[in-house]
Amino acid sequence: MLSFRSVFAGTLRQEDMGGGALITALWLRKSAGHVMLNPLRLSPFSSSRRTVFGLSASRCGLIQRKMTENGVASRRGKVLTIDTLNPCVKKVEYAVRGPIVQRALQIEKELKEGAKKPFSEVIKANIGDAHAMGQRPITFFRQVLALCSFPDLLDDGSFPEDAKNRARRILQSCGGSSMGAYSASQGIDCVRQDVARYIERRDGGIPSDPDNIYLTTGASDGIVTMLKLLVCGEGQTRTGVMISIPQYPLYSAALAELSAVQINYYLNEERCWSLDISELRRSLAEARQHCNPRALCIINPGNPTGQVQSRQCIEDVIRFAAEEHLFLMADEVYQDNVYADGCQFHSFKKVLFEMGPEYSDTVELASFHSTSKCYMGECGFRGGYMEVINMDPEVKEQLTKLVSVRLCPPVPGQALMDLVVNPPQPGEPSHANFLKERSATLSALAEKAKLTEQILNTVPGITCNPVQGAMYSFPQITIPERAVKEAKEKGQAPDMLYCMKLLEETGICLVPGSGFGQRDGTYHFRMTILPSTDKLRILLDKVKEFHQCFTQQYS
Amino acid sequence: MTENGVNSHRGRVLTMDTMNPNVKKVEYAVRGPIVQRALQIEKELKAGVKKPFSEVIKANIGDCHAMGQRPITFLRQVLALCMYPELLSDNKFPEDAKNRARRILQSCGGGSIGAYSASQGIERVRQDVALYIERRDGGIPSDPDNIYLSTGASDAIMTMLKLLVSGEGCTRTGVMISIPQYPLYSAALADLGAVQISYYLNEESCWSLDVSELRRALNTARDHCCPRALCIINPGNPTGQVQSRQCIEDVIRFAAEENLFLMADEVYQDNVYAEGCEFHSFKKVLFEMGPKYSNTVELASFHSTSKCYMGECGFRGGYVEVINLDPDVKTQLTKLVSVRLCPPVPGQVLLDVVVNPPEPGEPSYATFIKERTATLDDLALKAKLTEETLNTVPGITCNPVQGAMYSFPRISLPERAIEEAKEQGQAPDMFYCMKLLEETGICLVPGSGFGQRDGTYHFRMTILPPTDKLKIVLAKVKEFHQDFTQQYS
């Protein structure tokens, strides 16, 4: 198994490099001091970094001449090694597809090759991948996409008229009427217009400007781009970004890659993972000692924690951001995934504008949405958008320039985004079927959210908050002292040990809470609620049984 | 406007002064100010504004379908079947398209292209890519584990560059790129805060690459950065040259001697038109040079669904093959790409069909070959036409368009025009292209966006418009150039 943790340690392994390479590397370490080597040993913002790297040009030249004096590369090993790799890349971690998923894929291969296991299939409940868990695509969406892919089908009598109309409209706004043409870098004009109208309907008429909409390659792309704009300064003035703990690890990964400072604020598990302003204040005050906090990220409905924020809470957060001069990033990709009674999705944009011009004219907000979640679950298309509010016009120009380098988001994802924001209307031939499919998916999810919470709470040693929204449960698990110790001896997080054992014994793949962050001494896992109800029941029973055995074994 | 508000005394969080300084330095001329203006003019035309032309012709970007090229039927049939698998029971679709679609769907989670794929790309597609590379390179083995599917080639190029960037000050990573270059490279290097090391292509000998120039550029750069990678675009963009086998060998030897990571941008590998020219992949030449090189030189080679005969830019399909990549680094690469979850699956599907097209004996084979040949023949014809027509214009010199999709002619600009441009704070060829756009509706990219020798001026023009339109474009450029020269003489 490849462990990112061991890679992170940055050890040179002789079997991975030629012998000569090792010698060279050792020589480099000895003679060149720290130049290019293991920058991880240095705190990224320590003042020593400058001194260490601030060698004179002549000294650098000397080292490089020495490096190349004996000719071909073989003598010197590889150009790109773990020691000369971008140090920020080393720090990136993404648990949702981390070591446990690597192992799950390996087990799947072993099963295929006939290896005997105490289970017949691997169930990947690690990721919100609706279709992989058996959810069917929305017929209308796929009909339009097929028509756009192969427009000869527009003459086919078996497609409904509303699907054909949508396809024609999308194709007309593509260069050469083909999805194979590049679109504008910000996204196809008519799709951005449709997105703006969708946001206006969603937010009770608050205006949305298509020029503020940027289509993206999934929401992740938009989030990383916005964070990139925000990063500047060095040392004490380096940009800090506030993220919730537990968090969706895209945020920590992006911040590591951009070498921005991660500022943790903890959600309150005792109160259904709610967000307290006092905790935001505490974490901000602490962070101000060592960085320049500039942005606050919120995921609502929550991932991995499944809470749905109240309107009051959102108002408080906006007021806090205004007072503390923070750029708000609202990750709202689960906006249709609200299940609990009394809960409702409120967009940050809507609340911001309802708070009046004092806020709506000043607070900078980026809100993200995607085609991957909600009722459609079309992850593979990498569709998404962001809406930016109160962004400095010059910065917006820079943003437009920056996204132009990547040419355009995938056009099939843009087409899909268009359908999501502009679905069949009452009176159109596909309307009834569309509604039927959408409600079936959303009610099944609501049922599974309830089921998950209820069953998990029957297990002694597991406590699960209500899954108010999104697609995950994030229960707290009690791990016996002996298991914690054993994990620590192996250099593993205790919940990683737990999840690995669960995987090996039951074939169920979950993500340990340590991949999302959690209060010290608490342990969790994230499990999607996406498997079909029958399968979910089996899965929950297996987890229950495993937890009891595990507890017994280590007690 | 905000004087009574909470923020008023501090203004915005994110301004030009507080934005990531690297982002400011990013420039991407292919979609730069001239294209912004072209879009504006299009809007003006729509709104009824009178212009000396009736439409804007965007010859700035290699966007085949936008220029009227038709998609390959088979590719789109398979895509439609994958998008809406109910069509698998429709007997209007040929069996080979259905088989391809079934095979791809079987390797998608839940049989749907709406599921995330593995972050490295669908395993089966990577296997097909490896087989394609083996066929292309005369049997030299390719390992599917070395293939990473990507969101267009750009994505993979940026990812590889990202891995390579480290150090500070004079140990900061330097990356060698050709001048003229495709501005993705300069943009990515600016974004990453890496050092751009320019080596010049030799315009006098058809934009060829001289190893002595590589050596000069490298030696100069060693004073202020740590050169670690060498990027080559073959066939060339924007310059259209096709590298000889000998030249590639020399480059590989140079990279080996100088301990450089090679990045071979080979997205135009099917776009070779000139007689006597042939595409040689860096991978193939590397392996033919024997184990001394093939066991040591680190190489990343990039390909895409956007160019060649398919021109499917909008799907953002692509791949990179990595050779001799350190296994620990490969683990890091796999981890890094996992953060973005996966490349768009429709693009992966398309790539699979591109590397695994209809075979002789299959029902779609004849049509596929017919469509592919027609497109490539047409491009060859237009490459020739462009070169010939441009070379009839006094003051324009155009190298043969041996491959890729662009001509990059040199233009002589009168002193007075250069002066006027400088007064306006514009590059002289930007000034030229802007005037061309305003007067004729033709959108080209000035050479300054790609880099060029000081005191020389160029533009990049795609050869993609349909032959009739291309003839008009070329005639208009000719006329404009003559008027422009006269006006400023």
Side-chain angles (χ1 to χ4, degrees):
Chain A
M1 187 204 71
L2 293 167
S3 154
F4 291 141
R5 227 161 254 284
S6 67
V7 167
F8 185 86
T11 44
L12 271 163
R13 297 211 313 246
Q14 186 157 15
E15 66 270 24
D16 292 334
M17 307 173 76
L22 185 72
I23 290 159
T24 312
L26 289 174
W27 174 81
L28 273 176
R29 281 187 178 199
K30 234 171 94 182
S31 61
H34 295 88
V35 176
M36 300 193 314
L37 291 172
N38 233 350
L40 265 182
R41 288 182 176 165
L42 305 167
S43 146
F45 311 113
S46 69
S47 56
S48 66
R49 190 189 201 195
R50 269 182 202 291
T51 8
V52 167
F53 290 125
L55 292 167
S56 71
S58 61
R59 173 97 192 270
C60 285
L62 181 76
I63 291 161
Q64 276 145 5
R65 272 193 296 282
K66 278 220 162 184
M67 277 172 67
T68 58
E69 70 189 1
N70 291 320
V72 288
S74 58
R75 299 267 178 84
R76 282 160 306 169
K78 295 187 185 295
V79 178
L80 186 56
T81 66
I82 201 75
D83 284 330
T84 61
L85 176 79
N86 184 336
C88 299
V89 169
K90 270 180 254 187
K91 288 183 228 148
V92 167
E93 300 223 24
Y94 188 67
V96 174
R97 293 209 152 181
I100 198 138
V101 185
Q102 306 286 334
R103 179 63 192 141
L105 292 172
Q106 218 173 3
I107 292 178
E108 269 187 335
K109 272 193 187 162
E110 291 170 20
L111 281 174
K112 252 190 208 162
E113 286 156 10
K116 280 250 178 292
K117 303 266 173 194
F119 49 88
S120 58
E121 63 164 338
V122 172
I123 302 175
K124 286 185 221 133
N126 59 298
I127 190 166
D129 192 354
H131 291 198
M133 284 288 126
Q135 185 180 311
R136 307 302 311 151
I138 299 286
T139 305
F140 181 76
F141 293 174
R142 294 306 195 90
Q143 285 174 329
V144 178
L145 284 168
L147 289 161
C148 290
S149 298
F150 190 51
D152 295 17
L153 291 171
L154 286 166
D155 305 325
D156 190 321
S158 58
F159 284 86
E161 275 312 310
D162 48 355
K164 288 185 187 177
N165 290 339
R166 292 292 195 296
R168 279 192 204 99
R169 187 161 168 277
I170 292 167
L171 287 173
Q172 272 163 16
S173 40
C174 291
S177 297
S178 166
M179 285 210 294
Y182 290 120
S183 76
S185 300
Q186 198 172 347
I188 298 171
D189 253 355
C190 96
V191 178
R192 289 190 291 115
Q193 283 158 12
D194 289 348
V195 168
R197 276 196 291 266
Y198 160 82
I199 293 172
E200 288 179 357
R201 281 195 311 274
R202 183 196 68 188
D203 292 343
I206 293 162
S208 171
D209 181 349
D211 280 349
N212 289 339
I213 310 291
Y214 287 76
L215 303 187
T216 57
T217 308
S220 307
D221 171 45
I223 292 167
V224 173
T225 302
M226 280 310 306
L227 288 173
K228 184 181 283 179
L229 289 180
L230 281 158
V231 171
C232 71
E234 287 298 334
Q236 297 256 323
T237 65
R238 189 70 178 164
T239 294
V241 177
M242 303 183 72
I243 63 173
S244 64
I245 298 293
Q247 54 121 10
Y248 174 54
L250 165 71
Y251 290 91
S252 50
L255 295 176
E257 197 184 312
L258 294 164
S259 69
V261 181
Q262 173 177 328
I263 305 171
N264 296 332
Y265 65 88
Y266 288 84
L267 300 176
N268 189 342
E269 183 165 15
E270 282 64 46
R271 291 182 39 222
C272 200
W273 298 113
S274 67
L275 192 164
D276 302 332
I277 299 296
S278 59
E279 167 60 11
L280 287 181
R281 220 174 284 284
R282 177 206 62 78
S283 112
L284 184 73
E286 266 183 42
R288 288 231 158 98
Q289 315 278 323
H290 62 272
C291 70
N292 178 16
R294 300 183 65 209
L296 167 56
C297 303
I298 307 276
I299 312 174
N300 177 48
N303 175 8
T305 38
Q307 81 285 14
V308 176
Q309 283 189 320
S310 68
R311 202 189 167 293
Q312 183 57 52
C313 175
I314 293 172
E315 237 189 85
D316 293 345
V317 169
I318 292 172
R319 207 166 284 121
F320 174 80
E323 279 165 22
E324 301 294 349
H325 206 225
L326 296 169
F327 192 107
L328 266 177
M329 293 181 52
D331 180 340
E332 299 177 322
V333 299
Y334 297 99
Q335 54 190 266
D336 292 341
N337 298 109
V338 176
Y339 317 118
D341 275 336
C343 285
Q344 202 189 332
F345 170 73
H346 303 276
S347 79
F348 267 76
K349 163 106 183 276
K350 180 166 187 245
V351 177
L352 177 66
F353 277 75
E354 287 171 355
M355 287 167 72
E358 184 191 344
Y359 295 95
S360 65
D361 286 349
T362 59
V363 176
E364 293 151 82
L365 168 70
S367 150
F368 306 90
H369 196 18
S370 150
T371 57
S372 304
K373 310 298 167 187
C374 298
Y375 61 92
M376 50 280 183
E378 296 275 15
C379 312
F381 283 81
R382 316 308 297 123
Y385 75 77
M386 61 178 171
E387 183 185 24
V388 293
I389 308 291
N390 289 322
M391 183 177 259
D392 182 287
E394 282 181 297
V395 174
K396 210 161 142 240
E397 263 176 48
Q398 295 285 318
L399 171 59
T400 306
K401 177 190 74 177
L402 185 64
V403 297
S404 78
V405 179
R406 295 287 190 103
L407 296 163
C408 69
V411 176
Q414 297 188 45
L416 189 58
M417 191 77 242
D418 189 63
L419 301 169
V420 168
V421 296
N422 183 21
Q425 297 302 307
E428 289 190 314
S430 304
H431 184 247
N433 191 47
F434 168 75
L435 279 193
K436 206 181 94 197
E437 291 177 349
R438 187 178 67 174
S439 339
T441 302
L442 289 174
S443 12
L445 283 170
E447 191 197 336
K448 293 188 278 190
K450 199 81 200 151
L451 182 73
T452 304
E453 178 203 344
Q454 282 170 349
I455 298 189
L456 287 175
N457 277 327
T458 64
V459 189
I462 297 188
T463 336
C464 184
N465 267 320
V467 182
Q468 297 175 330
M471 296 181 167
Y472 317 96
S473 65
F474 195 70
Q476 184 166 159
I477 49 177
T478 316
I479 297 186
E481 265 315 309
R482 274 213 308 132
V484 173
K485 233 180 167 186
E486 186 177 315
K488 284 187 178 155
E489 277 161 20
K490 289 181 170 167
Q492 245 179 0
D495 46 16
M496 173 64 95
L497 174 96
Y498 178 97
C499 288
M500 273 291 182
K501 275 202 181 292
L502 175 74
L503 173 64
E504 298 289 348
E505 289 175 24
T506 66
I508 297 169
C509 180
L510 307 180
V511 192
S514 45
F516 304 89
Q518 54 200 351
R519 288 223 180 253
D520 277 351
T522 69
Y523 306 106
H524 301 79
F525 58 73
R526 186 183 85 163
M527 186 182 106
T528 70
I529 59 167
L530 293 172
S532 62
T533 311
D534 292 347
K535 219 177 210 172
L536 185 64
R537 275 180 204 278
I538 299 172
L539 193 148
L540 289 164
D541 285 344
K542 279 185 169 187
V543 169
K544 184 174 184 168
E545 198 190 350
F546 169 82
H547 187 82
Q548 287 162 341
C549 294
F550 183 89
T551 308
Q552 205 159 25
Q553 192 193 334
Y554 283 99
S555 289
Chain B
M1 82 191 182
T2 59
E3 62 188 9
N4 295 319
V6 240
N7 274 331
S8 58
H9 53 297
R10 277 168 306 179
R12 288 191 164 93
V13 178
L14 186 57
T15 65
M16 284 303 274
D17 291 334
T18 61
M19 191 183 74
N20 184 337
N22 288 343
V23 170
K24 267 177 253 185
K25 290 182 216 144
V26 167
E27 300 227 23
Y28 188 67
V30 174
R31 294 209 152 183
I34 197 137
V35 185
Q36 306 287 333
R37 178 65 191 136
L39 292 172
Q40 217 171 3
I41 292 178
E42 269 187 337
K43 275 192 188 160
E44 290 170 20
L45 281 174
K46 252 191 209 161
V49 178
K50 279 246 182 293
K51 303 266 175 193
F53 48 88
S54 59
E55 63 164 338
V56 172
I57 301 175
K58 285 187 221 131
N60 59 298
I61 190 167
D63 192 355
C64 309
H65 291 199
M67 283 288 127
Q69 185 181 310
R70 304 303 313 149
I72 300 286
T73 306
F74 185 74
L75 299 185
R76 295 307 195 90
Q77 284 174 329
V78 177
L79 274 167
L81 289 160
C82 289
M83 298 273 186
Y84 189 51
E86 275 81 347
L87 292 171
L88 284 165
S89 47
D90 187 327
N91 49 27
K92 280 193 292 293
F93 284 84
E95 275 311 311
D96 47 356
K98 288 185 187 175
N99 289 337
R100 294 290 194 296
R102 277 192 206 100
R103 192 164 163 277
I104 292 164
L105 289 173
Q106 274 162 16
S107 39
C108 292
S112 166
I113 58 172
Y116 290 122
S117 76
S119 301
Q120 197 172 347
I122 297 173
E123 200 170 346
R124 183 159 278 173
V125 179
R126 289 191 288 114
Q127 284 161 4
D128 288 345
V129 168
L131 291 173
Y132 160 82
I133 294 172
E134 287 182 2
R135 282 196 311 275
R136 182 195 70 188
D137 291 344
I140 292 161
S142 171
D143 182 348
D145 280 349
N146 288 338
I147 311 291
Y148 287 75
L149 305 189
S150 57
T151 307
S154 308
D155 168 47
I157 291 168
M158 280 179 151
T159 302
M160 285 310 303
L161 288 173
K162 187 179 286 170
L163 293 182
L164 282 157
V165 171
S166 66
E168 287 298 333
C170 63
T171 67
R172 189 69 177 165
T173 293
V175 176
M176 303 184 71
I177 64 172
S178 63
I179 296 295
Q181 54 119 13
Y182 174 54
L184 165 71
Y185 290 91
S186 50
L189 295 176
D191 190 350
L192 293 164
V195 180
Q196 173 178 329
I197 305 171
S198 303
Y199 65 88
Y200 288 83
L201 300 176
N202 188 345
E203 182 164 16
E204 281 63 45
S205 70
C206 199
W207 298 114
S208 67
L209 192 164
D210 302 331
V211 172
S212 60
E213 167 61 11
L214 287 180
R215 216 173 289 285
R216 180 206 61 75
L218 186 72
N219 287 335
T220 316
R222 284 232 157 101
D223 290 341
H224 61 273
C225 70
C226 176
R228 299 181 68 205
L230 168 55
C231 303
I232 308 277
I233 312 175
N234 178 49
N237 176 6
T239 39
Q241 81 284 14
V242 176
Q243 284 191 319
S244 68
R245 201 189 168 291
Q246 183 58 50
C247 175
I248 293 173
E249 237 188 87
D250 293 345
V251 168
I252 291 173
R253 208 167 284 119
F254 174 80
E257 280 166 20
E258 301 295 349
N259 211 29
L260 296 169
F261 193 108
L262 268 176
M263 293 183 46
D265 181 338
E266 300 178 321
V267 300
Y268 297 97
Q269 53 189 266
D270 292 341
N271 298 108
V272 176
Y273 317 117
E275 274 183 51
C277 285
E278 203 190 324
F279 171 72
H280 303 276
S281 77
F282 267 77
K283 163 105 183 275
K284 180 166 188 243
V285 177
L286 177 66
F287 277 76
E288 286 171 355
M289 286 168 73
K292 181 177 163 195
Y293 294 94
S294 65
N295 287 339
T296 58
V297 176
E298 293 150 82
L299 169 69
S301 152
F302 306 91
H303 196 17
S304 150
T305 57
S306 304
K307 311 297 167 186
C308 298
Y309 61 91
M310 49 282 180
E312 295 276 14
C313 311
F315 284 81
R316 316 307 297 121
Y319 74 78
V320 54
E321 183 186 24
V322 292
I323 308 291
N324 290 321
L325 191 66
D326 182 286
D328 285 346
V329 173
K330 212 161 141 236
T331 307
Q332 294 284 320
L333 171 59
T334 308
K335 176 193 73 176
L336 185 64
V337 297
S338 78
V339 179
R340 294 289 189 100
L341 295 162
C342 69
V345 177
Q348 298 189 45
V349 172
L350 193 62
L351 181 66
D352 189 64
V353 189
V354 167
V355 296
N356 184 21
E359 295 296 320
E362 288 190 311
S364 305
Y365 180 71
T367 308
F368 171 76
I369 292 292
K370 206 181 95 197
E371 290 176 347
R372 187 179 67 176
T373 315
T375 303
L376 290 174
D377 287 353
D378 195 39
L379 284 171
L381 185 83
K382 292 189 282 191
K384 198 83 199 146
L385 177 74
T386 304
E387 178 203 342
E388 282 171 358
T389 312
L390 288 175
N391 278 326
T392 64
V393 188
I396 298 189
T397 339
C398 184
N399 267 319
V401 182
Q402 299 176 329
M405 296 180 167
Y406 317 96
S407 65
F408 195 70
R410 183 158 166 178
I411 47 177
S412 36
L413 301 181
E415 268 314 309
R416 272 212 311 128
I418 296 173
E419 247 168 49
E420 190 173 322
K422 282 183 182 161
E423 274 162 27
Q424 296 185 16
Q426 249 180 355
D429 45 15
M430 171 65 94
F431 177 78
Y432 177 95
C433 289
M434 272 291 183
K435 273 207 176 300
L436 176 73
L437 173 64
E438 297 289 348
E439 289 176 24
T440 66
I442 297 169
C443 180
L444 306 179
V445 192
S448 45
F450 304 89
Q452 54 200 352
R453 286 218 180 260
D454 275 351
T456 69
Y457 306 106
H458 302 78
F459 58 73
R460 186 183 85 162
M461 188 182 108
T462 71
I463 58 167
L464 294 172
T467 311
D468 292 347
K469 213 177 215 174
L470 183 63
K471 281 188 185 166
I472 299 171
V473 170
L474 289 166
K476 280 186 169 186
V477 168
K478 185 174 184 165
E479 196 190 283
F480 170 82
H481 188 81
Q482 287 164 340
D483 291 350
F484 183 90
T485 307
Q486 207 161 23
Q487 190 191 338
Y488 286 98
S489 288

